[in-house]
Amino acid sequence: MHRRRFAIVLAAAIVFAVVPARAASDAPTPAEAKAFIEQAESRLLTLWIDAERASWVYSTFITDDTELIQAQARQRVIDETVKLSKEAQRFKGLKLDKEVARKFTLLPISLTLVAPSDPAKSKELSELVAQMEGIYGKGKFCPQKDECLDIGSISTRLAESRDPQELKQLWEGWHAIAIPMRPKYERMVKLANEGATEIGFDNLGALWRSGYDMPPGDFAKEMDRLYTQVKPLYEALHCYVRRRLSERYGPDLVPPGKPIPVQLLGNLWAQQWGNVYDLVAPPASDRGYDLTKLLEAKKVDSRQLVGYGEGFFKSLGFAPLPPSFWERSQFDKPKDRDVVCHASAWDIDWKDDLRLKMCIEINDTDFVTVHHELGHNFYQRAYNKQPPLFAQGANDGFHEGIGDAIALSATPDYLVRIGLLDKVPQGNDPVPYLMKLALDKVAFLPFGLFVDQWRWKVFAGEITPGNYNKAWWELKLKYQGVTPPSPRPDSDFDPGAKYHVAANVPYTRYFLAAILQFQFHRALCKEAGFTGPLYQCSIYGSSKAGAKFAKMLEMGASQPWPDELAVLSGERAMDASAILDYFAPLKTWLDEQNKGQVCGW
């Protein structure tokens, strides 16, 4: 996850505020508009950095005091941005240079939460978000009086256990931590919508959908188009996995033709299924290696794991990470305090104070996660010469997709080249490798889509507080084909058990990244001169691919994303055909395995 700098800005926008009309003799000029937006960037940058530092301290040392410090830093950003919003409206309607006009456009649509202009309500909203993030970060499930598990321990047990009762208990235990968030979330929605309405949006969801260089309605249609492309692949994987789980747990627990019980998929939200690979692996086949065991055999520690990720980018021609990265990052979970373990990449000063925040476990999942998160860090440094409003991803899906594209190059050949694997496993059967990857990448697609489908409906009032949980599970059923382990009353708040809901981080970016990473990968492999099957390609060591990659990354948000996508790929539209190309051998195999099965749910 990229720690979006604008995710902390709970502020009103600049373009839509209502202010008194100016006299004709006092008409502003384009030169004044240019000076204003540059001064606004400078003033806000100082506050953004202060807020980012406060957020870092809070995330790595959760206490009531650091929660308050973070909320106050956010509040200062709010107050200044609201002030600038009112001042900036006088430039509306001016014909401006392309760069200046883009800055005025980016400021409002880069925000993820908008505070009402009422100072008391603005302060309340800032505190609510900090409180919910704190509830999540401090959340624990205590199965016994003398045993309490944090999310890391719960996730590990859920991934490894094959006891249905224990899985049910773990899943229910974690989701219970979100119940106190429910009234806070309801109030947050009310306040955030009030703020969004003040600046001309129908609701907060409409603001979120406005950040993609297209009208909000067109963007919603674009999401539907992309998911339609990949839906058959997901349904084929779901059908196969359900049959194998039914064989393991019995048809009473996993009935054929019905949804899959969510707790059996190895992940608290069923967003990725890689942890149950051993239960659904293709019969009589072997990937030929276990990356977790390879890392353990090499006695790799957390710092060395991060070093592998840095080494990948250095092989493409990128400069090493600065010494401060190694001094200031959090790689391991501290034993003496509560922290937010959710992996995230930070650029504290908008220059080179890059940091990684993780609670690293030495396993294949975190090996990939490190490559992903460092993708954010190298992207952040690539565009650090852009003006502040352009110092962000072309869109938020780009930022997530960059790191994921790099992780796709973690092929067996790459593992051999960095000394983790002795040789590439022999044989021509790609299904085991693709199956393991699909359990994470393909299984994620509907989850990546539905989280914000739920929130957009909440913000729009289509889902009312009394139906929060009911609607959440209706959407999980519709898109993922999963059901909870037990009835979920409306008094629960299962959405809040997901970090991005608790912290109000938009989620559509991850769905876009799931699509874009394969499009990026296909383009980079072509640039590297690779001509084999897409799943075999690793761009490790290709300075040519690295140079073209860097050219796009350096643009930040200075151009509309279709222009930047074209720089890398020659394509101007997001296209899911690359993911279909990548997994084509697996899809053929799944269709064969699913013959005679009742697919769907």
Side-chain angles (χ1 to χ4, degrees):
M1 170 190 170
H2 172 217
R3 176 65 188 186
R4 278 276 1 114
R5 58 188 53 131
F6 292 111
I8 66 171
V9 182
L10 318 181
I14 65 171
V15 178
F16 302 95
V18 178
V19 296
R22 292 165 57 91
S25 60
D26 196 24
T29 67
E32 289 176 334
K34 183 175 186 293
F36 171 85
I37 198 66
E38 289 177 350
Q39 291 170 6
E41 284 185 297
S42 177
R43 290 156 66 184
L44 286 173
L45 179 60
T46 299
L47 295 176
W48 292 340
I49 293 172
D50 288 346
E52 198 78 347
R53 291 193 188 282
S55 189
W56 173 266
V57 171
Y58 171 68
S59 294
T60 58
F61 202 118
I62 300 174
T63 68
D64 292 340
D65 290 328
T66 58
E67 180 181 294
L68 179 60
I69 291 169
Q70 176 185 235
Q72 291 172 337
R74 287 174 167 175
Q75 187 65 43
R76 288 190 288 272
V77 174
I78 293 170
D79 293 342
E80 182 65 16
T81 309
V82 169
K83 178 174 177 290
L84 290 171
S85 299
K86 295 178 179 179
E87 294 174 357
Q89 179 61 22
R90 66 192 180 94
F91 301 108
K92 185 177 181 180
L94 281 179
K95 186 175 182 179
L96 303 173
D97 289 343
K98 183 179 178 181
E99 179 177 313
V100 174
R102 184 162 179 79
K103 288 182 179 180
F104 273 89
T105 299
L106 282 176
L107 184 56
I109 64 176
S110 297
L111 309 179
T112 64
L113 204 60
V114 185
S117 55
D118 183 317
K121 291 180 178 179
S122 178
K123 180 175 182 291
E124 181 185 2
L125 182 59
S126 178
E127 291 173 348
L128 284 170
V129 175
Q131 288 165 8
M132 288 190 292
E133 192 169 357
I135 291 170
Y136 187 96
K138 293 181 284 190
K140 289 181 174 63
F141 164 52
C142 302
Q144 301 180 49
K145 187 176 181 180
D146 58 347
E147 180 188 27
C148 287
L149 308 174
D150 62 15
I151 189 171
S153 300
I154 293 171
S155 295
T156 298
R157 287 199 187 183
L158 196 76
E160 296 175 351
S161 176
R162 299 297 180 252
D163 178 350
Q165 276 303 115
E166 182 182 18
L167 294 172
K168 179 175 181 289
Q169 182 189 41
L170 290 166
W171 188 95
E172 292 175 343
W174 174 253
H175 280 73
I177 68 103
I179 295 173
M181 294 181 202
R182 183 187 174 84
K184 298 178 186 295
Y185 193 84
E186 180 180 348
R187 179 63 175 163
M188 184 211 77
V189 169
K190 181 176 176 59
L191 293 174
N193 274 343
E194 184 177 331
T197 302
E198 285 184 12
I199 62 171
F201 292 95
D202 290 340
N203 54 67
L204 187 64
L207 185 151
W208 285 7
R209 296 191 299 276
S210 297
Y212 297 95
D213 294 304
M214 64 178 72
D218 291 351
F219 178 69
K221 293 175 183 176
E222 181 71 353
M223 296 303 94
D224 290 339
R225 180 187 68 80
L226 290 169
Y227 187 64
T228 298
Q229 282 186 277
V230 298
K231 186 178 178 182
L233 178 59
Y234 175 77
E235 290 180 338
L237 181 67
H238 181 283
C239 190
Y240 170 77
V241 168
R242 178 178 57 200
R243 176 172 66 84
R244 296 301 303 273
L245 292 178
S246 184
E247 292 170 355
R248 172 64 175 81
Y249 292 109
D252 289 341
L253 185 56
V254 189
K258 300 293 183 182
I260 300 172
V262 68
Q263 74 277 14
L264 303 181
L265 289 164
N267 176 274
L268 278 167
W269 313 279
Q271 67 180 63
Q272 293 170 311
W273 305 349
N275 289 324
V276 298
Y277 176 78
D278 61 304
L279 299 182
V280 303
S285 65
D286 185 355
R287 286 195 304 151
Y289 67 95
D290 182 323
L291 180 52
T292 298
K293 291 181 179 178
L294 294 175
L295 294 167
E296 292 172 349
K298 292 280 187 180
K299 301 188 184 310
V300 172
D301 61 23
S302 59
R303 191 179 182 90
Q304 290 169 325
L305 196 73
V306 177
Y308 283 121
E310 182 196 37
F312 190 102
F313 286 92
K314 288 165 61 177
S315 83
L316 300 180
F318 290 89
L321 291 163
S324 60
F325 171 86
W326 301 97
E327 297 163 0
R328 300 171 184 174
S329 291
Q330 174 191 289
F331 298 149
D332 303 297
K333 185 180 188 304
K335 297 179 180 179
D336 61 343
R337 62 185 186 271
D338 289 319
V339 300
V340 177
C341 277
H342 189 86
S344 54
W346 302 59
D347 54 340
I348 299 292
D349 64 355
W350 272 241
K351 290 183 180 179
D352 56 10
D353 189 354
L354 306 171
R355 303 184 193 181
L356 173 65
K357 178 186 64 61
M358 287 182 66
C359 300
I360 293 175
E361 302 286 340
I362 306 303
N363 56 39
D364 56 354
T365 298
D366 279 8
F367 181 84
V368 171
T369 299
V370 161
H371 284 69
H372 169 92
E373 295 300 337
L374 293 190
H376 290 308
N377 287 136
F378 279 92
Y379 198 0
Q380 289 159 346
R381 188 169 63 181
Y383 57 56
N384 68 5
K385 292 182 175 61
Q386 294 285 354
L389 282 170
F390 292 163
Q392 56 179 312
N395 67 41
D396 55 9
F398 269 61
H399 230 302
E400 297 299 331
I402 293 303
D404 282 336
I406 292 300
L408 288 175
S409 281
T411 61
D413 178 68
Y414 166 60
L415 298 179
V416 170
R417 295 178 69 182
I418 62 175
L420 283 175
L421 189 61
D422 292 334
K423 61 181 180 179
V424 175
Q426 298 301 306
N428 298 317
D429 184 7
V431 170
Y433 174 77
L434 291 177
M435 174 63 75
K436 183 67 166 68
L437 198 63
L439 291 172
D440 287 336
K441 301 289 187 180
V442 177
F444 175 79
L445 293 167
F447 185 85
L449 186 66
F450 102 85
V451 172
D452 279 353
Q453 295 281 345
W454 179 82
R455 284 192 286 192
W456 293 346
K457 292 176 184 292
V458 168
F459 295 139
E462 297 175 37
I463 296 174
T464 59
N467 291 319
Y468 277 172
N469 236 36
K470 180 175 181 289
W472 176 261
W473 283 102
E474 287 174 347
L475 287 169
K476 282 184 78 71
L477 176 63
K478 175 183 176 180
Y479 286 104
Q480 289 186 282
V482 299
T483 51
S486 57
R488 308 302 296 166
D490 283 329
S491 56
D492 285 347
F493 186 56
D494 293 336
K498 178 63 181 169
Y499 172 80
H500 300 76
V501 175
N504 197 60
V505 178
Y507 211 76
T508 299
R509 63 184 63 174
Y510 301 105
F511 173 76
L512 293 177
I515 303 296
L516 284 168
Q517 63 183 276
F518 290 92
Q519 198 168 356
F520 293 156
H521 182 63
R522 183 168 63 184
L524 289 168
C525 289
K526 181 179 179 181
E527 190 67 20
F530 186 84
T531 58
L534 196 55
Y535 64 84
Q536 290 182 351
C537 172
S538 176
I539 64 167
Y540 178 79
S542 173
S543 58
K544 188 177 179 184
K548 193 154 193 180
F549 203 27
K551 186 176 180 181
M552 182 182 77
L553 301 185
E554 290 165 359
M555 297 172 74
S558 63
Q559 304 296 324
W561 67 260
D563 295 344
E564 301 196 13
L565 177 61
V567 167
L568 180 67
S569 67
E571 302 164 330
R572 297 184 56 81
M574 291 180 282
D575 180 17
S577 66
I579 193 172
L580 303 180
D581 291 347
Y582 192 99
F583 288 105
L586 178 65
K587 178 61 163 61
T588 299
W589 184 86
L590 288 171
D591 289 344
E592 184 65 28
Q593 297 298 309
N594 290 336
K595 285 182 178 179
Q597 297 294 311
V598 178
C599 294
W601 54 87

